Amino acid sequence: MQYNRMVLALLLGVGLCQAQAQDEMWDKTSSGKNHPNIQWFKDAKFGLFIHWGLYSQLGGVWNNKRYYGSGEWLMNQAKVPAADYAAKAAQFNPVNFNADEWAGLAKDAGIRYMVITAKHHEGFAMYDSKVSNFSIVKASPYRKDPMKALAEATRKRGIQFGFYYSQFLDWHEPDGGGNRWDFEESKKDYLRYYREKSIPQLKELMTNYGPLGIVWFDMPGGLTRQQTQQLVDTLRQLQPGSLFSSRVGQGLGDYRDFGDSEVPPAPIEEVWESIYTHNDSWGYIEHDMNFKSPAEIIRLLANVASKGGNLMLNVGPDGKGNIPSYSAKYLRETGRWLAANGESIYGTTYGFVPGQPWGVTTAKPGKLFLHVLDRPRDGKLLLPDCSVTATRAYALVGKKPLVIDRRGADLYVQFPAAEPASPNTVIVLEYTGKAPAYNTKAPVTISAQVNENIVEAVHATTADSAAVKSLTYSHYFGDWKHAVCVTDMQGANDSATFHLRITEPADYKIVLEYACPAESARQEGQLTIGGQSFLFRTLRSSEFDKSNPLLFIQHAVAITTIGKPGLYSITVKPRQQGKELFKLKSIRLLPVH
Ligand code: FHN
């Protein structure tokens, strides 16, 4: 069966990165059925993911060698023999762990649900398991069950609590998925592993820790659809109210999780979640300091909410039980923004106005929230084709009333002057009348009032063999990145056209952002706008290889004078038949001042 072949390819592979087919490994599909307990999750919008295990104590270092990327994959990266790895449990003593501090931080950060690793791929149970001796209670000097305290501390604060559980990969067990450096693949009996460890442990977790908001399965494998259905049915009996993540596999989850660090390019009706980690690794790594700033988190949260999803952001506490100080500090700062602006995030759906040069929108009945991420010079926020009856507009913080101006189908809201700097200033537009449907075909607004207009590949209308695809790659190891690009433009008929609405006359510099391997470099392409054609020759950036960075170059190819506001289109294509021209990520229009 195709699905199992993919999983096997992953397990047999020379590393995590090369052989795996991410979509199969992640299963981004859900059952499409509306779980009766889904509403809290839809409203929650912001979750805290915690990766905590034996790997946290190792901190990305094995035998004095530092490993980069996903720290919880250390055992796999260093191909540590299971017995040597297990011996490290004797030094794992997270004496600084304080459930109330962790839950308090989550509360301060404005988090509405928490999911923590009960057992990751290393196989170590971070709770009191009767099923296996490889647990924090039996194998470490700590001897206590931190999950009991954490479940209580979160619930006390009104935060939904859930467990992550790696149901198939288990490098400690001869029959578990993934460890081929110790255990021969042909001798493995995955079903025995499910029967003797995975399912009994899941049952323990679903029996001993009170009502779980979520069981967050990860990386399905080794089961047919029918077997997965049986697993789901068995577990559902224990807690019918728990939501199952889509990575339970076979399209049987209750909501869709996207790939790691992935936001879909356009709004999605189904219930879904985006998962990101605060730095590059999920598990603690002492040499990973690439923490997202509060502004980056706040903007990411707004971006995810503007597409209708939840953001679950991960932190990786260390082996002593400390949450990294930058995670704590930046989460608290995010929480301060949410304390003032939470109305524009919690309980919202995506906004009916698509992304604009100034920012994105979220909505509640009768209210549209404008998240201003890039303030236009003239302060005018255009809401194109906005047919509702606007009754009033005001800044969410301070409630200062703002001027609304209707010009035909368009609405303008005047952004408050002298607004204090914020990574995201929220304006509320109250309206009556039926909210218009989100128009996926709306032309992309281009304004001379911002420094840069970015037209993403998802907006392309493609011809012939040109296609829009999501490409997945990584920097270190397992730190996945995604880029939606126009691909497969090889001949003069393979084109990408972008429909634009340019709101002000100006000169605009046009920049193509693309990735281009050696074999595609030095080919001629053509960009057309308003009857004018511009030629360019492609510049080499990098090859596309999942386990390496995909480098995008910003190549300025034209300047054009737009004399009149109105509808325009830009078409990009190769001049002649050849190799794929490039992987086009965006077209940027920079007003010339
Ligand atoms: O392999 C895991 C990884 O370690 C981490 O737990 C992430 C979080 O979504 N899930 C898997 C990879 O997608």
Side-chain angles (χ1 to χ4, degrees):
M1 182 181 157
Q2 177 69 1
Y3 175 79
N4 278 337
R5 270 214 307 276
M6 295 294 188
V7 173
L8 275 180
L10 159 65
L11 302 173
L12 294 167
V14 274
L16 167 70
C17 311
Q18 282 152 14
Q20 83 200 132
Q22 272 77 13
D23 280 11
E24 285 74 11
M25 140 181 150
W26 284 323
D27 200 331
K28 301 180 192 172
T29 58
S30 70
S31 70
K33 294 183 191 141
N34 216 355
H35 190 288
N37 200 23
I38 200 75
Q39 195 58 42
W40 74 262
F41 182 77
K42 278 181 162 175
D43 292 342
K45 293 290 165 194
F46 194 27
L48 185 66
F49 210 176
I50 302 181
H51 275 63
W52 198 39
L54 270 190
Y55 47 80
S56 313
Q57 179 207 192
L58 301 171
V61 182
W62 186 260
N63 278 347
N64 296 321
K65 181 172 177 215
R66 275 183 297 282
Y67 290 81
Y68 289 79
S70 289
E72 70 288 356
W73 276 76
L74 180 70
M75 180 177 173
N76 180 299
Q77 281 207 72
K79 298 290 177 279
V80 183
D84 295 0
Y85 191 86
K88 291 289 176 190
Q91 288 137 39
F92 183 49
N93 197 4
V95 285
N96 295 345
F97 168 71
N98 181 325
D100 276 307
E101 259 173 34
W102 286 20
L105 168 64
K107 189 76 186 169
D108 291 351
I111 295 291
R112 296 282 165 97
Y113 61 102
M114 180 189 282
V115 174
I116 183 162
T117 47
K119 187 214 76 165
H120 204 269
H121 312 331
E122 64 180 3
F124 187 69
M126 287 294 288
Y127 70 99
D128 187 12
S129 175
K130 305 283 178 261
V131 173
S132 158
N133 287 336
F134 193 42
S135 80
I136 189 165
V137 175
K138 291 194 189 127
S140 87
Y142 188 65
R143 301 217 163 273
K144 291 189 287 277
D145 181 343
M147 298 302 161
K148 270 264 182 298
L150 196 59
E152 276 164 30
T154 45
R155 284 201 202 98
K156 204 164 75 191
R157 290 168 174 83
I159 296 170
Q160 291 271 358
F161 182 74
F163 285 122
Y164 167 109
Y165 190 87
S166 167
Q167 75 267 35
F168 172 55
L169 292 194
D170 192 317
W171 304 323
H172 182 72
E173 303 295 340
D175 287 320
N179 183 343
R180 288 178 51 82
W181 57 96
D182 287 313
F183 311 118
E184 223 179 277
E185 193 62 30
S186 62
K187 296 204 176 126
K188 287 188 179 196
D189 181 345
Y190 292 148
L191 290 183
R192 185 160 62 202
Y193 166 71
Y194 271 104
R195 225 172 28 242
E196 293 182 1
K197 184 166 180 184
S198 187
I199 296 175
Q201 285 203 328
L202 279 158
K203 284 184 173 170
E204 288 181 325
L205 291 166
M206 295 186 73
T207 309
N208 299 335
Y209 296 86
L212 301 180
I214 296 177
V215 181
W216 213 94
F217 296 89
D218 198 13
M219 297 192 66
L223 295 183
T224 62
R225 187 172 201 283
Q226 201 192 1
Q227 288 161 339
T228 311
Q229 184 72 63
Q230 276 166 6
L231 168 91
V232 166
D233 292 345
T234 309
L235 297 177
R236 285 236 193 267
Q237 285 172 15
L238 298 174
Q239 289 212 26
S242 291
L243 306 176
F244 291 179
S245 70
S246 57
R247 294 190 192 174
V248 69
Q250 309 279 1
L252 292 172
D254 298 312
Y255 64 86
R256 293 174 69 177
D257 264 301
F258 276 80
D260 295 348
S261 317
E262 183 178 25
V263 184
I268 288 187
E269 288 292 343
E270 279 170 88
V271 187
W272 63 273
E273 177 182 63
S274 233
I275 48 213
Y276 273 78
T277 186
H278 192 194
N279 44 359
D280 285 326
S281 172
W282 300 88
Y284 175 75
I285 287 198
E286 59 191 24
H287 43 277
D288 178 354
M289 293 298 284
N290 187 17
F291 293 100
K292 292 169 189 64
S293 68
E296 286 172 303
I297 300 172
I298 290 164
R299 286 156 172 264
L300 180 61
L301 185 58
N303 187 23
V304 171
S306 79
K307 290 173 178 157
N310 287 7
L311 172 67
M312 181 157 73
L313 185 70
N314 177 75
V315 298
D318 67 17
K320 287 276 169 256
N322 305 302
I323 292 185
S325 60
Y326 286 108
S327 290
K329 187 172 170 191
Y330 296 171
L331 274 171
R332 285 213 162 83
E333 213 156 308
T334 304
R336 279 191 278 280
W337 182 87
L338 272 167
N341 294 282
E343 192 194 337
S344 67
I345 299 286
Y346 303 122
T348 59
T349 59
Y350 60 82
F352 50 82
V353 172
Q356 296 298 310
W358 49 260
V360 296
T361 64
T362 53
K364 279 182 181 164
K367 282 184 184 175
L368 184 71
F369 299 98
L370 320 184
H371 297 259
V372 184
L373 309 176
D374 193 357
R375 191 201 152 125
R377 280 195 190 85
D378 63 2
K380 289 194 173 70
L381 308 177
L382 165 64
L383 307 177
D385 213 3
C386 189
S387 58
V388 296
T389 305
T391 49
R392 64 184 190 125
Y394 52 91
L396 181 56
V397 175
K399 304 281 182 284
K400 186 172 175 236
L402 304 174
V403 173
I404 307 170
D405 185 12
R406 174 162 291 288
R407 289 187 219 156
D410 296 337
L411 266 185
Y412 286 87
V413 176
Q414 185 64 43
F415 190 75
E419 183 63 23
S422 164
N424 176 0
T425 303
V426 179
I427 307 296
V428 187
L429 179 81
E430 291 189 0
Y431 67 89
T432 56
K434 192 167 175 293
Y438 184 99
N439 180 4
T440 49
K441 297 266 180 296
V444 179
T445 308
I446 304 296
S447 164
Q449 302 297 326
V450 293
N451 290 335
E452 186 174 49
N453 297 271
I454 304 175
V455 186
E456 288 170 349
V458 68
H459 296 290
T461 305
T462 53
D464 260 41
S465 57
V468 176
K469 288 184 188 158
S470 175
L471 308 174
T472 299
Y473 59 97
S474 63
H475 282 181
Y476 288 130
F477 180 99
D479 51 336
W480 303 111
K481 325 271 173 215
H482 311 268
V484 174
C485 293
V486 181
T487 63
D488 302 289
M489 288 192 279
Q490 275 136 14
N493 294 326
D494 305 330
S495 63
T497 298
F498 299 84
H499 299 290
L500 312 177
R501 175 178 167 192
I502 303 184
T503 54
E504 291 106 340
D507 289 355
Y508 291 89
K509 183 173 275 195
I510 305 180
V511 176
L512 300 177
E513 184 189 20
Y514 60 79
C516 180
E519 64 167 24
S520 295
R522 305 176 82 85
Q523 298 185 100
E524 259 194 313
Q526 175 178 325
L527 179 148
T528 311
I529 179 169
Q532 264 185 303
S533 282
F534 301 89
L535 301 180
F536 59 87
R537 203 175 70 176
T538 54
L539 306 174
R540 177 182 181 178
S541 69
S542 78
E543 324 299 309
F544 172 43
D545 155 13
K546 284 185 175 172
S547 46
N548 277 301
L550 182 60
L551 302 180
F552 290 93
I553 193 163
Q554 293 193 10
H555 182 181
V557 298
I559 284 194
T560 186
T561 301
I562 298 296
K564 268 201 326 219
L567 296 176
Y568 291 82
S569 56
I570 289 183
T571 297
V572 178
K573 59 179 196 163
R575 282 279 283 171
Q576 53 266 316
Q577 192 65 36
K579 299 282 182 193
E580 180 186 57
L581 192 63
F582 43 41
K583 298 187 189 304
L584 180 63
K585 185 168 177 230
S586 73
I587 298 186
R588 292 161 181 246
L589 284 87
L590 284 55
V592 178
H593 295 289

